[in-house]
């Protein structure tokens, strides 16, 4: 059995990469994919601790997270489609109407 | 080094490198393919944590359904990203990455502190005797339909809301105006709803609603010229 910490390090690395993608990328599709990466990292932590304690609750929570991620992807991509229709672009820096 | 460790490190390395590739690729289609590789590697990690049912769900939902959705949308949008990001203002990138790295290094520091303080709790569950059915579909399903029944139902409602919301959001302006006209909105109400800038009366021919698509005006013979 591997130490749980190694799974946590893997989850940390994935979350870090996802955060970097959300912060640094301008393509809104890549930003959505980075959010999926971060949700996956959270799932790894849930499953790792579920294994550590021999308790299945973490896996159920991870399943619920997957469902939330699917809904988020559907709504996010619908928003991308409608933005693309209105502005013909996927650059998130062009979407500053509510900020200005 | 045991075989378990070899498998874990190989797939952890695959997960990290393909995640890096996902974030750094310019073309979103290539990024989506790398993301699928990440999901597969994460599924292998789930198997090593004896969460076999969750690994199957991961591949079905993420690598199957969600990636198809992503690739479909990318294809529909017809995004051409090549060479578009070089001519951007670098000061903004610098600012964001500065604050981002500040936050991340702070998080890393916390991580190391917490990890070293709680080291005795983070020892593996090596001596833990797992039930043989741990992580199986029966095990997870039993918990899902008893203890987490409310969360399960709430999630199903949320998925329904997300599907309806996605359809509503992704409709085009023209489709919304057409539906509003068909449901009997007056031209003034249409204008107030921001749908009135193309003539709604033109959508309704005397013989009933004309099928108007986004692919140009409908022709009597069809798009293939009538066969």
């Amino acid at each position: 059995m591997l130490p749980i910490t190694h799974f946590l390090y893997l989850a940390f690395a994935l979350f870090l990469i996802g955060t970097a993608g959300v912060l640094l990328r301008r393509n809104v599709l890549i930003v959505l994919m980075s959010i999926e990466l971060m949700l996956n990292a959270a799932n790894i932590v849930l499953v790792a601790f579920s294994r550590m304690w021999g308790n299945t609750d973490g896996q159920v929570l991870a399943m619920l997270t997957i469902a939330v991620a699917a809904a988020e992807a559907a709504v996010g991509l619908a928003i991308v489609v409608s933005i693309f229709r209105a502005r013909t672009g996927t650059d998130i820096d062009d979407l500053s109407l509510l900020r200005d | 080094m045991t075989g378990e460790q070899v498998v874990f490190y190989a797939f952890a390395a695959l997960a990290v490198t393909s995640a890096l590739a996902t974030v750094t690729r310019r073309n979103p289609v290539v990024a989506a393919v790398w993301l699928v590789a990440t999901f597969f590697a994460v599924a292998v990690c789930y198997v090593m944590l004896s969460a076999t049912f969750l690994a199957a769900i991961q591949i079905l939902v993420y690598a199957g359904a969600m990636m198809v959705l992503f690739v479909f949308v990318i294809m529909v949008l017809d995004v051409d990203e090549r060479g578009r990001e070089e001519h951007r203002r670098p000061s903004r990138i610098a600012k964001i990455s500065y604050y981002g790295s500040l936050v991340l290094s702070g998080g890393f520091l916390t991580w190391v502190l917490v990890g070293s303080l709680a080291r005795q709790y983070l020892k593996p569950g090596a001596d833990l005797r797992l039930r043989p059915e741990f992580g199986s579909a029966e095990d997870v399903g039993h918990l899902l339909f008893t203890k987490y029944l409310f969360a399960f139902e709430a999630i199903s409602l949320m998925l329904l809301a997300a599907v309806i919301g996605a359809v509503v959001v992704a409709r085009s302006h023209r489709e919304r105006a057409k539906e509003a006209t068909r449901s009997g909105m007056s031209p003034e109400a249409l204008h107030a709803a921001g749908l009135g800038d193309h003539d709604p009366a033109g959508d309704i021919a005397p013989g009933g609603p004309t099928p108007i698509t986004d692919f140009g005006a409908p022709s009597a013979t069809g798009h293939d010229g009538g066969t």
Side-chain angles (χ1 to χ4, degrees), chain B residues 140-190:
Chain B
V140 177
H142 183 72
L143 208 54
L144 197 60
F145 285 107
T146 52
K147 190 175 172 187
Y148 291 96
L149 183 64
F150 180 75
F152 180 73
E153 297 294 338
I155 279 284
S156 67
L157 205 61
M158 187 208 65
L159 280 173
L160 179 67
V163 167
I164 295 175
V167 170
V168 168
V169 168
R171 278 183 316 170
S172 70
H173 188 266
R174 178 177 235 164
E175 284 163 348
R176 276 185 287 152
K178 194 175 70 176
E179 269 179 30
T181 314
R182 198 182 290 164
S183 66
M185 271 175 93
S186 66
E188 295 79 31
L190 272 179

Side-chain angles (χ1 to χ4, degrees), chain A residues 11-69:
Chain A
F12 180 66
L14 286 184
F15 195 86
L16 202 71
I17 294 167
T19 316
V22 170
L23 287 177
L24 300 178
R25 286 306 299 263
R26 290 217 159 73
N27 190 329
V28 67
L29 292 162
I30 307 267
V31 169
L32 277 176
M33 291 182 203
S34 305
I35 293 174
E36 302 295 335
L37 272 181
M38 292 160 78
L39 285 166
N40 249 284
N43 274 351
I44 292 178
V45 173
L46 282 172
V47 176
F49 278 114
S50 140
R51 172 69 182 81
M52 179 179 164
W53 298 111
N55 189 341
T56 327
D57 288 35
Q59 296 184 18
V60 176
L61 289 179
M63 273 189 68
L64 299 181
T65 311
I66 288 177
V68 171

Side-chain angles (χ1 to χ4, degrees), chain B:
Chain B
M1 211 172 183
T2 64
E4 195 180 20
Q5 282 175 319
V6 171
V7 172
F8 172 72
Y9 289 126
F11 279 95
L14 173 66
V16 171
T17 46
S18 50
L20 274 175
T22 306
V23 171
T24 50
R25 291 307 97 183
R26 182 148 294 150
N27 189 340
V29 179
V30 179
V33 173
W34 278 111
L35 193 58
V36 172
T38 315
F39 288 156
F40 271 98
V42 170
V44 171
C45 289
Y46 286 168
V47 172
M48 304 197 65
L49 289 165
S50 29
T52 44
F53 179 62
L54 202 64
I57 291 291
Q58 163 94 2
I59 288 178
L60 284 177
V61 174
Y62 269 113
M66 214 181 283
M67 276 308 105
V68 170
L69 190 65
F70 261 101
V71 173
F72 235 83
V73 166
I74 294 167
M75 296 300 179
V76 164
L77 292 186
D78 191 22
V79 187
D80 186 21
E81 278 299 314
R82 266 159 300 173
R84 277 192 52 194
E85 290 192 19
E86 285 97 339
H87 313 292
R88 293 289 171 182
R89 303 134 291 200
S91 64
R92 197 176 164 76
I93 290 188
K95 221 190 312 182
I96 292 177
S97 40
Y98 174 68
Y99 288 120
S101 56
L102 212 62
V103 169
L104 293 179
S105 53
F108 191 73
L109 200 66
T110 319
W111 168 273
V112 170
L113 279 178
V114 169
S116 54
L117 285 179
R119 183 162 294 268
Q120 63 270 35
Y121 297 115
L122 292 178
K123 279 282 193 276
D127 47 350
L128 191 69
R129 298 296 300 171
L130 283 182
R131 291 164 286 127
E133 77 273 13
F134 177 78
S136 67
E138 185 189 349
D139 197 13
V140 177
H142 183 72
L143 208 54
L144 197 60
F145 285 107
T146 52
K147 190 175 172 187
Y148 291 96
L149 183 64
F150 180 75
F152 180 73
E153 297 294 338
I155 279 284
S156 67
L157 205 61
M158 187 208 65
L159 280 173
L160 179 67
V163 167
I164 295 175
V167 170
V168 168
V169 168
R171 278 183 316 170
S172 70
H173 188 266
R174 178 177 235 164
E175 284 163 348
R176 276 185 287 152
K178 194 175 70 176
E179 269 179 30
T181 314
R182 198 182 290 164
S183 66
M185 271 175 93
S186 66
E188 295 79 31
L190 272 179
H191 190 72
L195 298 172
D197 54 10
H198 83 283
D199 184 17
D203 281 353
I204 306 295
T210 320
I212 292 190
T213 67
D214 282 338
F215 305 108
S219 69
T221 51
H223 288 293
D224 53 355
T227 48

